[in-house]
Amino acid sequence: MSASAIFILDLKGKVLICRNYKGNMDMNEIDHFMPILMKREEEAEMTPLVTRGSSHFLWIKHNNLYLVAMTKKNANASLVYAFLYKIIQIFKEYFKEVEEESIRDNFVTVYELMDEVMDFGFPQTTDSKILQEYITQRGHKLEVGAPRPPATVTNAVSWRSEGIKYRKNEVFMDVIESVNLLVSASGSVLQSEIVGTVKLKVCLSGMPELRLGLNDKVLFEITGREKSKTVELEDVKFHQCVRLSRFENDRTISFIPPDGESELMSYRLNTTVKPLIWIESVIEKYSHSRVEIKVKARSQFKSRSTANNVSILVPVPSDADSPKFKTSTGSAKWVPEKSVVQWTIKSFPGGKEYMMRAHFGLPSVDSDELDAKRPITVDFEIPYFTVSGIQVRYLKIIEKSGYHALPWVRYITQSGDYQLRTN
């Protein structure tokens, strides 16, 4: 990454706090940042990177602050931006709100944190749980909780402390899949993908090793096993605790987990998804003064599953008034500020079909707005169900003390960007 210095500026470009990590640049160079930025803004040429001679400024804006990394090397820009956003996240966990006032009120803590998260321009400990072990804050004062850094800073497992103890050892795992879908007015699927995350809540003593087995297609091909129900994971991203070499060699997901809540992995499946909730709508306009919308919703999953908190947003003309609704289940309401009818169904079992009718008055002046069609959007959540068919085959917990631990696994499918175009 190699950032020479990090600055936190107010909206006028005044330096609130800064940290010179490498000492290879003139720190006064930052004075040129804001004038260049304002000139770019006037010329409508805003860019996330500003250059003056050999000085490069990589910046982000958060509330009433600018965070600026300064370098004269050809730095890895994506890593620099990831680091700047990570600093914001750490500050949030310390001060709740990150703005000029909270930076001014907590100068000492901010300096301590900036010292710990980077060394000679390279990121170091950025896990706020670990930082909070030895940078503790009371009021506006800093107290060093331990005379020497905890082992987590110096050992190989920087995301977990030693000596953690629980009376009841448990692991909770949530496999959450979001369905992104775009369906044309004729009913064909134009775009579909599944974005999945595996989240952990770990309440385990000691330094346990976990091994997770999924019905991963590549794994079954490597081991020569035949299995019809496998999934092909794409764009897999892991938490730093996962041993990547093990995964690359034999697709084993092996890790020492962080304590508490964390996101273990994310993945994507580019696959044609059959719409889980299918919507058909008909809009009939009568004599330019009244419109009737008929909406049919059908759940296209097995009857043993149920979608919860289903919300169907049906667009209506912005000049509509005097709404009347009739539903076979759930309730409908008009949301005039969004120009939609919201049809809410608390519980929608699989294999069911429901109807909703909405009547609206329209001004006598003819409106062409119905011609500019907006899609119907659907929100839902289906517990105990994965649309991809991903399965946790096992979750093994190995710890030298040999205690027994209970793993709990839960599956949830929910709507992501789920849209159906209308005629």
Side-chain angles (χ1 to χ4, degrees):
M1 173 177 155
S2 203
S4 294
I6 302 285
F7 297 84
I8 301 176
L9 314 178
D10 66 13
L11 287 177
K12 292 178 181 174
K14 183 184 171 190
V15 177
L16 298 175
I17 206 162
C18 65
R19 186 69 179 80
N20 187 354
Y21 291 105
K22 299 189 81 170
N24 64 344
M25 290 185 75
D26 180 358
M27 295 292 277
N28 293 325
E29 280 290 304
I30 194 66
D31 296 340
H32 302 287
F33 168 74
M34 193 53 78
I36 297 170
L37 198 68
M38 291 175 78
K39 189 181 176 194
R40 292 269 180 95
E41 195 171 358
E42 284 169 17
E43 295 169 358
E45 288 183 4
M46 290 286 277
T47 57
L49 186 144
V50 173
T51 299
R52 179 183 179 272
S54 63
S55 300
H56 306 291
F57 306 97
L58 296 91
W59 63 277
I60 62 171
K61 186 169 185 270
H62 182 83
N63 292 335
N64 55 0
L65 299 170
Y66 287 95
L67 269 76
V68 186
M70 189 167 75
T71 179
K72 64 180 183 182
K73 282 196 168 185
N74 184 14
N76 181 336
S78 61
L79 187 56
V80 173
Y81 287 114
F83 179 78
L84 293 177
Y85 282 110
K86 186 67 181 176
I87 287 180
I88 293 287
Q89 188 186 328
I90 292 167
F91 288 169
K92 274 183 183 173
E93 291 183 28
Y94 267 85
F95 319 130
K96 300 282 190 286
E97 292 296 323
V98 183
E99 52 190 31
E100 185 180 337
E101 189 180 350
S102 61
I103 296 295
R104 287 185 184 280
D105 285 348
N106 296 281
F107 265 151
V108 179
T109 310
V110 172
Y111 263 124
E112 282 286 327
L113 289 169
M114 289 175 79
D115 266 349
E116 290 298 332
V117 295
M118 183 174 273
D119 187 25
F120 199 67
F122 296 96
Q124 300 297 310
T125 305
T126 57
D127 190 310
S128 59
K129 281 183 186 170
I130 303 304
L131 289 166
Q132 283 168 10
E133 283 189 26
Y134 60 104
I135 298 180
T136 58
Q137 180 204 15
R138 289 185 189 168
H140 303 320
K141 292 179 186 173
L142 177 92
E143 291 185 12
V144 179
R148 59 190 174 82
T152 45
V153 177
T154 52
N155 72 7
V157 187
S158 62
W159 54 88
R160 184 180 179 91
S161 302
E162 290 182 9
I164 295 170
K165 285 185 180 164
Y166 285 96
R167 274 193 312 184
K168 191 175 182 183
N169 291 291
E170 297 177 301
V171 181
F172 301 89
M173 177 174 282
D174 281 349
V175 181
I176 303 166
E177 292 192 336
S178 296
V179 180
N180 297 332
L181 189 76
L182 178 62
V183 177
S184 73
S186 62
S188 56
V189 175
L190 300 176
Q191 292 173 13
S192 70
E193 69 169 0
I194 300 163
V195 178
T197 55
V198 177
K199 295 191 174 179
L200 289 176
K201 184 180 177 185
V202 175
C203 305
L204 294 175
S205 306
M207 200 62 79
E209 180 178 333
L210 273 62
R211 284 180 197 158
L212 171 64
L214 303 171
N215 56 334
D216 175 6
K217 185 179 178 185
V218 178
L219 171 65
F220 281 85
E221 285 172 355
I222 291 170
T223 53
R225 283 178 285 178
E226 288 293 323
K227 184 158 175 150
S228 56
K229 281 192 174 179
T230 58
V231 292
E232 192 166 357
L233 305 175
E234 299 174 45
D235 290 349
V236 182
K237 295 184 181 73
F238 289 114
H239 187 279
Q240 62 175 338
C241 67
V242 175
R243 296 185 177 92
L244 293 179
S245 56
R246 286 285 307 267
F247 183 74
E248 284 161 8
N249 287 340
D250 57 15
R251 303 291 279 195
T252 298
I253 301 171
S254 169
F255 56 98
I256 295 170
D259 187 44
E261 295 182 7
S262 61
E263 185 176 300
L264 178 69
M265 64 181 281
S266 64
Y267 59 89
R268 186 174 60 83
L269 286 91
N270 245 334
T271 179
T272 304
V273 180
K274 181 184 177 185
L276 296 168
I277 294 180
W278 180 255
I279 308 290
E280 291 174 32
S281 71
V282 178
I283 299 177
E284 290 181 10
K285 209 171 172 188
Y286 302 98
S287 64
H288 308 308
S289 62
R290 189 165 62 86
V291 67
E292 183 181 48
I293 302 171
K294 295 177 189 169
V295 180
K296 187 192 291 181
R298 186 168 70 247
S299 51
Q300 301 192 131
F301 45 87
K302 289 180 179 172
S303 57
R304 64 171 178 260
S305 294
T306 299
N308 295 333
N309 303 319
V310 178
S311 172
I312 301 163
L313 297 180
V314 183
V316 297
S318 59
D319 54 355
D321 59 25
S322 315
K324 290 177 186 169
F325 307 110
K326 193 175 182 182
T327 62
S328 61
T329 192
S331 61
K333 68 173 182 179
W334 184 31
V335 188
E337 62 272 20
K338 293 183 181 174
S339 300
V340 294
V341 174
Q342 182 177 20
W343 181 15
T344 305
I345 303 167
K346 199 135 186 77
S347 180
F348 199 146
K352 294 282 185 183
E353 188 172 285
Y354 299 125
M355 292 283 295
M356 187 269 288
R357 290 182 181 218
H359 291 263
F360 285 90
L362 287 175
S364 55
V365 180
D366 192 10
S367 169
D368 291 330
E369 194 174 331
L370 282 176
D371 298 330
K373 300 291 191 303
R374 291 178 292 142
I376 291 171
T377 60
V378 187
D379 280 326
F380 58 85
E381 188 174 275
I382 309 173
Y384 320 112
F385 176 86
T386 61
V387 67
S388 70
I390 194 169
Q391 290 174 354
V392 174
R393 290 171 39 246
Y394 60 82
L395 182 60
K396 292 178 183 170
I397 302 160
I398 305 149
E399 216 278 330
K400 62 184 179 186
S401 63
Y403 60 69
H404 292 290
L406 289 169
W408 305 91
V409 181
R410 184 171 61 166
Y411 300 94
I412 303 165
T413 289
Q414 60 190 21
S415 54
D417 186 8
Y418 194 102
Q419 300 187 357
L420 299 101
R421 289 178 178 166
T422 54
N423 284 310

